[in-house]
Amino acid sequence: MTTVAVTGATGKTGRVVVADLLEHGFDVLAVDIVAGPGDREAMATIGAPLLRADLTDYGQAVDALSEADTVIHLANIPAPGLFPAAHTLNTNLAMNNNVFLAAAHNKLSRVVWASSETTLGLPFDVPPRYAPVDEDHYPYPTTTYALSKVASETTAQHIADWSGIPFVALRLSNVHVEEDYRLVPGYWADARLRKWNLWGYIDARDVAAACRLALAAPVTGAQSFVIAAADTIMDRPSADLLAEVFPEVELTREIGTHETLLSIERARETLGFVPRHSWRDIVGR
């Protein structure tokens, strides 16, 4: 039985990832710095012991991964603007560096970790060069949060080369859970409200599936994949949205009516990732 350490396990995405892994027969060691009595009880109830660890400390990272075979590393400050810019950069880099090095020290078989769509140029105050935006529209960090992910992708490449461990970076779009979808109709009146990520999003359940698929995908070295929903968050055709807000941006291929403008083709081909969930299932448009 494969034991997967999940860092950031008590976060919005982490909880869904842990539950999905358990449902698919993995043993899970949940790791988070936020681990109150309620969190411990909740994780214990579903069968995932919860370890409180500060991953900005290398020794704690080594200990946290010592009983695992693989790691899904989600723990980070999750967005720009939550803390001073330098703190976000330094904290995320410390966590990522320590987890990557601890994985090599403990000879884990794989590292799957949360990079970000922000590495591609978000928010698109400067229009993208083309659409759909894919993995090659990189690196364009515009915040220290995005820079922490870009720098960590470079670090992952070198540690993968040194250790022989495959590293899979998932460039996650804006993660939604079901209760978030009640806000979706409020975006429709003004296309500029969500232009910052080309109207993208991803359901947390599809993030969980991408993480699980990445554990077994035929990947060597360090590879990165855009992970987004199959559609946009808007009720209007994607080509119309692009033409209105970014008229100078060329579509490089024909797209479906509501198809995402964050290309998931590489994830589909290499990971077998097919998003199953949409706001349309909840809102009904």
Side-chain angles (χ1 to χ4, degrees), residues 187-209:
Y187 306 142
W188 297 341
D190 184 356
R192 287 167 175 75
L193 289 177
R194 297 279 306 189
K195 75 178 183 69
W196 55 271
N197 76 338
L198 296 184
W199 309 280
Y201 75 104
I202 182 68
D203 191 287
R205 292 165 292 183
D206 286 324
V207 174

Side-chain angles (χ1 to χ4, degrees), residues 190-264:
D190 184 356
R192 287 167 175 75
L193 289 177
R194 297 279 306 189
K195 75 178 183 69
W196 55 271
N197 76 338
L198 296 184
W199 309 280
Y201 75 104
I202 182 68
D203 191 287
R205 292 165 292 183
D206 286 324
V207 174
C211 289
R212 175 168 38 81
L213 289 166
L215 290 174
V219 171
T220 59
Q223 297 191 37
S224 304
F225 302 92
V226 174
I227 301 296
D231 57 351
T232 73
I233 203 113
M234 302 292 280
D235 64 342
R236 295 168 49 195
S238 302
D240 291 355
L241 292 166
L242 194 71
E244 176 185 336
V245 180
F246 297 112
E248 69 275 43
V249 175
E250 179 185 1
L251 278 170
T252 57
R253 59 173 174 80
E254 291 187 9
I255 59 171
T257 302
H258 297 292
E259 184 178 342
T260 178
L261 293 167
L262 300 169
S263 176
I264 55 175

Side-chain angles (χ1 to χ4, degrees), residues 19-79:
D20 178 84
L21 290 169
L22 292 169
E23 181 182 340
H24 285 85
F26 292 89
D27 287 335
V28 176
L29 173 61
V31 180
D32 211 317
I33 195 170
V34 180
D39 295 316
R40 292 185 186 281
E41 183 177 344
M43 288 293 173
T45 299
I46 63 175
L50 178 60
L51 175 68
R52 183 169 185 171
D54 179 357
L55 299 175
T56 64
D57 180 275
Y58 174 66
Q60 293 188 49
V62 169
D63 287 347
L65 302 188
S66 62
E67 301 299 322
D69 300 304
T70 61
V71 61
I72 296 174
H73 174 45
L74 307 175
N76 260 195
I77 293 173

